[in-house]
Amino acid sequence: MTKLTKKSATSPSNIAFIKFWGKKDSKLNIPFNNSISMNLDSCLTTTTVHFMNNLKEDEIVIDCKRVDGEARERVVKILDIVRSWAKIKTKAKVSSINNFPADVGVASSASAFSALALAASSSAGLKLSKQKLSILARLGSGSASRSVIDGFSEWKKGTSNNNSYAVQIAKPSFWDLRDIVTLVSSEKKEKSSTEGHSIATSSPYFEKRQKDLVVRTKKLKKALLEKDFNTFGNLLEKEAIDLHVMAMTSVEPIFYLNSTTFAVMKALRDLRVKEIKGYYTMDAGPNIHIICRQKDADTINRVIKRVAGVKSTIINRPGLGSRLTNNHLF
Ligand code: DP6
C-alpha cells in the first residue's frame, strides 16, 4: 500500500530570457517555442500537501484563504494526475504561501505549480525524476516546468506530453547575475498570461516571431554560456519588446506596461551611457526585471528606487529549483 505522508516543498519563480507566449496545446500547455529562464532565489512559494483518508473533498488554501473556482480547479487538476499516477483516490489538504505579491508580473504560477508538483507527488509516495516533475509542473502552468530545475534552464517545447519539459543549461553558481525585480504596481493585472496565450497567434507578428526565435534563442544561449553580458542584454531586451508587441497586437490588445515601466527602461538606458549596465525584461505585467552583474547591482538599485512610481525592489540571485523542506504549513 502507498504510504501517504505530509510533505512540503519550496520552489522559486523564474524570469524568462526567451519567453513562452502562445500554446500549441492549451490543455497540455505545449508551447510553440523553447524558452530559457533563470530561477529567482528570493521569490518563493512554499506548499504543504497531505493526502488524508478522512477528507471528503480537496481543501485548498492559498495565502491563508480558502480558494474556489478556477484557481481551485487548476490545483485539483494536478492532484488528480498525482492520484492517477499513485493509484489512489484519497483527497488532499493543500496550503501554500508566497513571499511576494501574486499576479503582478513576478510569475507566481511558476513557483506555485512547481512547488505543488513536488509536494503532491512526494506526499503520494511518488519519487519522480526531474523530467517527470517538470512535466507535472508544466501541466499546472507552462512556466512552472522551468522552476523545477536548478539555476538556468531551457524548456524544450517537445511535441507531446512526454517530451515537453525543462533541462538545465547551467547551475546557479555559473554566472553571478542579479535580477532586480522592480515593482511598479501591485494591482491584479487585467488579463492573465493564460488569456494572453490563448490569443497570441492572432498577432500579425506571430509567424515572424517564431522565425526570429530560432536564431535569437541560439544566440542568447551562446551569450549566456560565454557570459557575454552585452550581447546577452541586447537580446534580452529585444525579446521582451517582442512579447509586448505581440500582446498589444493580438485580436484583443493587451497593454501590460505602464508609464513607470517606460521610465525605468529610460533610466537604465541613461545608466548604460555611464557604463553601468542593467538590461530590462518584462513578463505579463508592468513590473521590470533588471538583469545586471553583481558589481553594478547596488548602484542600479539605488538609482531605480528613485524613479517616480517605483514601489519597491527585490534583488535576486540565480536560485535553486524545487526542493523538499520540513517547513510544514499545517
Ligand atoms: C510572459 O506559464 O504563466 O511569463 O501556462 O497559462 O499558466 P500558463 O502561462 P504562464 O505564462 C508565462 C508567460 C510569460 C513568459 C514566460 O514565463 O515564459
PDB file of all heavy atoms in Angstrom, residues 14 16 18-21 23 29 35 74 107 109 140-144 146 193-194 197 243 283-284, ligand 1:
ATOM      1  N   ASN A  14      10.618  32.222 -11.737  1.00  0.00           N
ATOM      2  CA  ASN A  14      11.753  32.361 -12.657  1.00  0.00           C
ATOM      3  C   ASN A  14      11.481  33.526 -13.595  1.00  0.00           C
ATOM      4  O   ASN A  14      10.333  33.927 -13.790  1.00  0.00           O
ATOM      5  CB  ASN A  14      11.999  31.064 -13.429  1.00  0.00           C
ATOM      6  CG  ASN A  14      10.864  30.698 -14.379  1.00  0.00           C
ATOM      7  OD1 ASN A  14      10.654  31.350 -15.408  1.00  0.00           O
ATOM      8  ND2 ASN A  14      10.102  29.651 -14.034  1.00  0.00           N
ATOM      9  N   ALA A  16      11.900  34.669 -17.496  1.00  0.00           N
ATOM     10  CA  ALA A  16      12.173  34.134 -18.828  1.00  0.00           C
ATOM     11  C   ALA A  16      13.031  35.110 -19.619  1.00  0.00           C
ATOM     12  O   ALA A  16      12.675  36.283 -19.759  1.00  0.00           O
ATOM     13  CB  ALA A  16      10.865  33.873 -19.559  1.00  0.00           C
ATOM     14  N   ILE A  18      14.092  34.068 -22.810  1.00  0.00           N
ATOM     15  CA  ILE A  18      13.330  33.813 -24.046  1.00  0.00           C
ATOM     16  C   ILE A  18      11.956  33.350 -23.566  1.00  0.00           C
ATOM     17  O   ILE A  18      11.860  32.431 -22.734  1.00  0.00           O
ATOM     18  CB  ILE A  18      13.987  32.709 -24.911  1.00  0.00           C
ATOM     19  CG1 ILE A  18      15.381  33.142 -25.401  1.00  0.00           C
ATOM     20  CG2 ILE A  18      13.076  32.320 -26.094  1.00  0.00           C
ATOM     21  CD1 ILE A  18      15.409  34.194 -26.501  1.00  0.00           C
ATOM     22  N   LYS A  19      10.909  34.002 -24.055  1.00  0.00           N
ATOM     23  CA  LYS A  19       9.581  33.839 -23.459  1.00  0.00           C
ATOM     24  C   LYS A  19       8.725  32.763 -24.111  1.00  0.00           C
ATOM     25  O   LYS A  19       8.809  32.545 -25.321  1.00  0.00           O
ATOM     26  CB  LYS A  19       8.782  35.144 -23.563  1.00  0.00           C
ATOM     27  CG  LYS A  19       9.551  36.407 -23.272  1.00  0.00           C
ATOM     28  CD  LYS A  19       9.621  36.704 -21.821  1.00  0.00           C
ATOM     29  CE  LYS A  19      10.247  38.057 -21.535  1.00  0.00           C
ATOM     30  NZ  LYS A  19      10.565  38.219 -20.111  1.00  0.00           N
ATOM     31  N   PHE A  20       7.872  32.211 -23.298  1.00  0.00           N
ATOM     32  CA  PHE A  20       6.803  31.300 -23.722  1.00  0.00           C
ATOM     33  C   PHE A  20       5.581  32.188 -23.960  1.00  0.00           C
ATOM     34  O   PHE A  20       5.099  32.843 -23.041  1.00  0.00           O
ATOM     35  CB  PHE A  20       6.608  30.304 -22.568  1.00  0.00           C
ATOM     36  CG  PHE A  20       5.265  29.650 -22.416  1.00  0.00           C
ATOM     37  CD1 PHE A  20       4.605  29.089 -23.509  1.00  0.00           C
ATOM     38  CD2 PHE A  20       4.689  29.542 -21.153  1.00  0.00           C
ATOM     39  CE1 PHE A  20       3.377  28.448 -23.328  1.00  0.00           C
ATOM     40  CE2 PHE A  20       3.470  28.898 -20.964  1.00  0.00           C
ATOM     41  CZ  PHE A  20       2.810  28.364 -22.050  1.00  0.00           C
ATOM     42  N   TRP A  21       5.120  32.258 -25.203  1.00  0.00           N
ATOM     43  CA  TRP A  21       3.926  33.086 -25.488  1.00  0.00           C
ATOM     44  C   TRP A  21       3.129  32.422 -26.604  1.00  0.00           C
ATOM     45  O   TRP A  21       3.524  32.454 -27.761  1.00  0.00           O
ATOM     46  CB  TRP A  21       4.324  34.523 -25.855  1.00  0.00           C
ATOM     47  CG  TRP A  21       3.190  35.488 -25.700  1.00  0.00           C
ATOM     48  CD1 TRP A  21       2.592  36.220 -26.681  1.00  0.00           C
ATOM     49  CD2 TRP A  21       2.501  35.822 -24.481  1.00  0.00           C
ATOM     50  NE1 TRP A  21       1.568  36.978 -26.147  1.00  0.00           N
ATOM     51  CE2 TRP A  21       1.498  36.746 -24.791  1.00  0.00           C
ATOM     52  CE3 TRP A  21       2.629  35.406 -23.144  1.00  0.00           C
ATOM     53  CZ2 TRP A  21       0.633  37.281 -23.839  1.00  0.00           C
ATOM     54  CZ3 TRP A  21       1.772  35.929 -22.196  1.00  0.00           C
ATOM     55  CH2 TRP A  21       0.798  36.853 -22.546  1.00  0.00           C
ATOM     56  N   LYS A  23       0.217  28.870 -26.969  1.00  0.00           N
ATOM     57  CA  LYS A  23       0.233  27.423 -26.704  1.00  0.00           C
ATOM     58  C   LYS A  23      -0.243  26.642 -27.922  1.00  0.00           C
ATOM     59  O   LYS A  23      -1.290  26.955 -28.474  1.00  0.00           O
ATOM     60  CB  LYS A  23      -0.700  27.092 -25.531  1.00  0.00           C
ATOM     61  CG  LYS A  23      -0.311  27.755 -24.234  1.00  0.00           C
ATOM     62  CD  LYS A  23      -1.270  27.398 -23.106  1.00  0.00           C
ATOM     63  CE  LYS A  23      -0.892  28.156 -21.841  1.00  0.00           C
ATOM     64  NZ  LYS A  23      -1.803  27.899 -20.727  1.00  0.00           N
ATOM     65  N   ASN A  29      -0.532  22.463 -22.115  1.00  0.00           N
ATOM     66  CA  ASN A  29       0.475  23.535 -22.046  1.00  0.00           C
ATOM     67  C   ASN A  29       1.727  23.202 -22.861  1.00  0.00           C
ATOM     68  O   ASN A  29       2.855  23.276 -22.347  1.00  0.00           O
ATOM     69  CB  ASN A  29       0.856  23.848 -20.583  1.00  0.00           C
ATOM     70  CG  ASN A  29      -0.278  24.507 -19.845  1.00  0.00           C
ATOM     71  OD1 ASN A  29      -1.160  25.119 -20.454  1.00  0.00           O
ATOM     72  ND2 ASN A  29      -0.272  24.390 -18.524  1.00  0.00           N
ATOM     73  N   SER A  35      11.849  27.911 -24.422  1.00  0.00           N
ATOM     74  CA  SER A  35      12.087  29.141 -23.666  1.00  0.00           C
ATOM     75  C   SER A  35      13.235  28.922 -22.681  1.00  0.00           C
ATOM     76  O   SER A  35      13.555  27.783 -22.347  1.00  0.00           O
ATOM     77  CB  SER A  35      10.809  29.587 -22.952  1.00  0.00           C
ATOM     78  OG  SER A  35      10.256  28.534 -22.196  1.00  0.00           O
ATOM     79  N   ARG A  74      -7.463  24.400 -11.084  1.00  0.00           N
ATOM     80  CA  ARG A  74      -6.091  24.179 -11.602  1.00  0.00           C
ATOM     81  C   ARG A  74      -5.282  23.316 -10.632  1.00  0.00           C
ATOM     82  O   ARG A  74      -4.488  22.477 -11.052  1.00  0.00           O
ATOM     83  CB  ARG A  74      -5.387  25.521 -11.823  1.00  0.00           C
ATOM     84  CG  ARG A  74      -5.858  26.222 -13.077  1.00  0.00           C
ATOM     85  CD  ARG A  74      -5.158  27.538 -13.281  1.00  0.00           C
ATOM     86  NE  ARG A  74      -3.822  27.383 -13.855  1.00  0.00           N
ATOM     87  CZ  ARG A  74      -3.111  28.401 -14.348  1.00  0.00           C
ATOM     88  NH1 ARG A  74      -3.593  29.628 -14.320  1.00  0.00           N
ATOM     89  NH2 ARG A  74      -1.910  28.202 -14.859  1.00  0.00           N
ATOM     90  N   ALA A 107       6.300  35.746 -11.733  1.00  0.00           N
ATOM     91  CA  ALA A 107       5.488  34.582 -12.109  1.00  0.00           C
ATOM     92  C   ALA A 107       5.126  33.717 -10.916  1.00  0.00           C
ATOM     93  O   ALA A 107       5.835  32.787 -10.558  1.00  0.00           O
ATOM     94  CB  ALA A 107       6.217  33.769 -13.160  1.00  0.00           C
ATOM     95  N   SER A 109       2.583  31.749 -10.710  1.00  0.00           N
ATOM     96  CA  SER A 109       2.105  30.429 -11.105  1.00  0.00           C
ATOM     97  C   SER A 109       3.284  29.477 -11.307  1.00  0.00           C
ATOM     98  O   SER A 109       3.163  28.281 -11.089  1.00  0.00           O
ATOM     99  CB  SER A 109       1.248  30.512 -12.369  1.00  0.00           C
ATOM    100  OG  SER A 109       2.031  30.909 -13.467  1.00  0.00           O
ATOM    101  N   GLY A 140       0.374  22.204 -14.788  1.00  0.00           N
ATOM    102  CA  GLY A 140      -0.280  23.223 -13.963  1.00  0.00           C
ATOM    103  C   GLY A 140      -0.129  24.603 -14.588  1.00  0.00           C
ATOM    104  O   GLY A 140      -1.092  25.351 -14.735  1.00  0.00           O
ATOM    105  N   SER A 141       1.099  24.946 -14.961  1.00  0.00           N
ATOM    106  CA  SER A 141       1.381  26.243 -15.590  1.00  0.00           C
ATOM    107  C   SER A 141       2.667  26.068 -16.393  1.00  0.00           C
ATOM    108  O   SER A 141       3.672  25.569 -15.852  1.00  0.00           O
ATOM    109  CB  SER A 141       1.581  27.309 -14.511  1.00  0.00           C
ATOM    110  OG  SER A 141       1.967  28.526 -15.103  1.00  0.00           O
ATOM    111  N   GLY A 142       2.631  26.477 -17.657  1.00  0.00           N
ATOM    112  CA  GLY A 142       3.767  26.223 -18.544  1.00  0.00           C
ATOM    113  C   GLY A 142       5.104  26.631 -17.944  1.00  0.00           C
ATOM    114  O   GLY A 142       6.048  25.832 -17.893  1.00  0.00           O
ATOM    115  N   SER A 143       5.175  27.881 -17.464  1.00  0.00           N
ATOM    116  CA  SER A 143       6.460  28.388 -16.983  1.00  0.00           C
ATOM    117  C   SER A 143       6.959  27.631 -15.747  1.00  0.00           C
ATOM    118  O   SER A 143       8.152  27.675 -15.425  1.00  0.00           O
ATOM    119  CB  SER A 143       6.351  29.879 -16.676  1.00  0.00           C
ATOM    120  OG  SER A 143       5.268  30.114 -15.805  1.00  0.00           O
ATOM    121  N   ALA A 144       6.072  26.928 -15.047  1.00  0.00           N
ATOM    122  CA  ALA A 144       6.468  26.163 -13.856  1.00  0.00           C
ATOM    123  C   ALA A 144       7.412  25.017 -14.217  1.00  0.00           C
ATOM    124  O   ALA A 144       8.190  24.558 -13.381  1.00  0.00           O
ATOM    125  CB  ALA A 144       5.231  25.619 -13.145  1.00  0.00           C
ATOM    126  N   ARG A 146      10.009  25.171 -15.805  1.00  0.00           N
ATOM    127  CA  ARG A 146      11.407  25.610 -15.705  1.00  0.00           C
ATOM    128  C   ARG A 146      11.852  25.802 -14.259  1.00  0.00           C
ATOM    129  O   ARG A 146      13.045  25.772 -13.966  1.00  0.00           O
ATOM    130  CB  ARG A 146      11.591  26.927 -16.485  1.00  0.00           C
ATOM    131  CG  ARG A 146      11.263  26.831 -17.984  1.00  0.00           C
ATOM    132  CD  ARG A 146      11.556  28.154 -18.680  1.00  0.00           C
ATOM    133  NE  ARG A 146      10.889  29.248 -18.015  1.00  0.00           N
ATOM    134  CZ  ARG A 146       9.963  30.053 -18.564  1.00  0.00           C
ATOM    135  NH1 ARG A 146       9.618  29.891 -19.838  1.00  0.00           N
ATOM    136  NH2 ARG A 146       9.407  31.018 -17.868  1.00  0.00           N
ATOM    137  N   SER A 193      -1.788  35.752 -18.000  1.00  0.00           N
ATOM    138  CA  SER A 193      -0.958  35.247 -19.097  1.00  0.00           C
ATOM    139  C   SER A 193      -1.692  34.121 -19.830  1.00  0.00           C
ATOM    140  O   SER A 193      -1.558  33.986 -21.046  1.00  0.00           O
ATOM    141  CB  SER A 193       0.415  34.798 -18.598  1.00  0.00           C
ATOM    142  OG  SER A 193       0.309  34.073 -17.425  1.00  0.00           O
ATOM    143  N   THR A 194      -2.500  33.349 -19.112  1.00  0.00           N
ATOM    144  CA  THR A 194      -3.259  32.274 -19.771  1.00  0.00           C
ATOM    145  C   THR A 194      -4.155  32.858 -20.865  1.00  0.00           C
ATOM    146  O   THR A 194      -4.226  32.321 -21.975  1.00  0.00           O
ATOM    147  CB  THR A 194      -4.112  31.502 -18.726  1.00  0.00           C
ATOM    148  OG1 THR A 194      -3.241  31.107 -17.660  1.00  0.00           O
ATOM    149  CG2 THR A 194      -4.767  30.273 -19.325  1.00  0.00           C
ATOM    150  N   HIS A 197      -1.925  33.961 -23.798  1.00  0.00           N
ATOM    151  CA  HIS A 197      -1.503  32.819 -24.624  1.00  0.00           C
ATOM    152  C   HIS A 197      -2.601  32.454 -25.638  1.00  0.00           C
ATOM    153  O   HIS A 197      -2.310  32.119 -26.778  1.00  0.00           O
ATOM    154  CB  HIS A 197      -1.262  31.580 -23.759  1.00  0.00           C
ATOM    155  CG  HIS A 197      -0.007  31.630 -22.950  1.00  0.00           C
ATOM    156  ND1 HIS A 197       1.245  31.654 -23.519  1.00  0.00           N
ATOM    157  CD2 HIS A 197       0.208  31.639 -21.604  1.00  0.00           C
ATOM    158  CE1 HIS A 197       2.150  31.683 -22.560  1.00  0.00           C
ATOM    159  NE2 HIS A 197       1.556  31.679 -21.400  1.00  0.00           N
ATOM    160  N   LEU A 243       7.629  40.356 -27.054  1.00  0.00           N
ATOM    161  CA  LEU A 243       6.482  39.783 -26.331  1.00  0.00           C
ATOM    162  C   LEU A 243       5.371  40.826 -26.198  1.00  0.00           C
ATOM    163  O   LEU A 243       4.197  40.538 -26.424  1.00  0.00           O
ATOM    164  CB  LEU A 243       6.902  39.308 -24.937  1.00  0.00           C
ATOM    165  CG  LEU A 243       5.720  38.876 -24.077  1.00  0.00           C
ATOM    166  CD1 LEU A 243       5.439  37.401 -24.264  1.00  0.00           C
ATOM    167  CD2 LEU A 243       5.911  39.198 -22.638  1.00  0.00           C
ATOM    168  N   ASP A 283       7.635  40.350 -18.022  1.00  0.00           N
ATOM    169  CA  ASP A 283       6.703  39.281 -18.375  1.00  0.00           C
ATOM    170  C   ASP A 283       5.303  39.883 -18.534  1.00  0.00           C
ATOM    171  O   ASP A 283       5.184  41.045 -18.864  1.00  0.00           O
ATOM    172  CB  ASP A 283       6.772  38.161 -17.321  1.00  0.00           C
ATOM    173  CG  ASP A 283       7.958  37.231 -17.588  1.00  0.00           C
ATOM    174  OD1 ASP A 283       8.502  37.256 -18.707  1.00  0.00           O
ATOM    175  OD2 ASP A 283       8.332  36.469 -16.676  1.00  0.00           O
ATOM    176  N   ALA A 284       4.272  39.107 -18.237  1.00  0.00           N
ATOM    177  CA  ALA A 284       2.911  39.592 -18.485  1.00  0.00           C
ATOM    178  C   ALA A 284       2.445  40.490 -17.334  1.00  0.00           C
ATOM    179  O   ALA A 284       1.531  40.161 -16.580  1.00  0.00           O
ATOM    180  CB  ALA A 284       1.977  38.407 -18.672  1.00  0.00           C
TER     181      ALA A 284
HETATM  182  C1  DP6 B   1       5.072  36.068 -20.148  1.00  0.00           C
HETATM  183  O1  DP6 B   1       3.287  29.939 -17.594  1.00  0.00           O
HETATM  184  O2  DP6 B   1       2.016  31.881 -16.632  1.00  0.00           O
HETATM  185  O3  DP6 B   1       5.723  34.909 -18.195  1.00  0.00           O
HETATM  186  O4  DP6 B   1       0.661  28.088 -18.650  1.00  0.00           O
HETATM  187  O5  DP6 B   1      -1.229  29.683 -18.783  1.00  0.00           O
HETATM  188  O6  DP6 B   1      -0.020  29.359 -16.608  1.00  0.00           O
HETATM  189  P1  DP6 B   1       0.073  29.368 -18.104  1.00  0.00           P
HETATM  190  O7  DP6 B   1       1.042  30.546 -18.523  1.00  0.00           O
HETATM  191  P2  DP6 B   1       2.368  31.057 -17.819  1.00  0.00           P
HETATM  192  O8  DP6 B   1       2.953  32.015 -18.959  1.00  0.00           O
HETATM  193  C2  DP6 B   1       4.149  32.709 -18.766  1.00  0.00           C
HETATM  194  C3  DP6 B   1       4.252  33.809 -19.749  1.00  0.00           C
HETATM  195  C4  DP6 B   1       5.432  34.718 -19.554  1.00  0.00           C
HETATM  196  C5  DP6 B   1       6.668  34.218 -20.291  1.00  0.00           C
HETATM  197  C6  DP6 B   1       7.423  33.070 -19.669  1.00  0.00           C
HETATM  198  O9  DP6 B   1       7.489  32.957 -18.436  1.00  0.00           O
HETATM  199  O10 DP6 B   1       7.999  32.312 -20.452  1.00  0.00           O
END
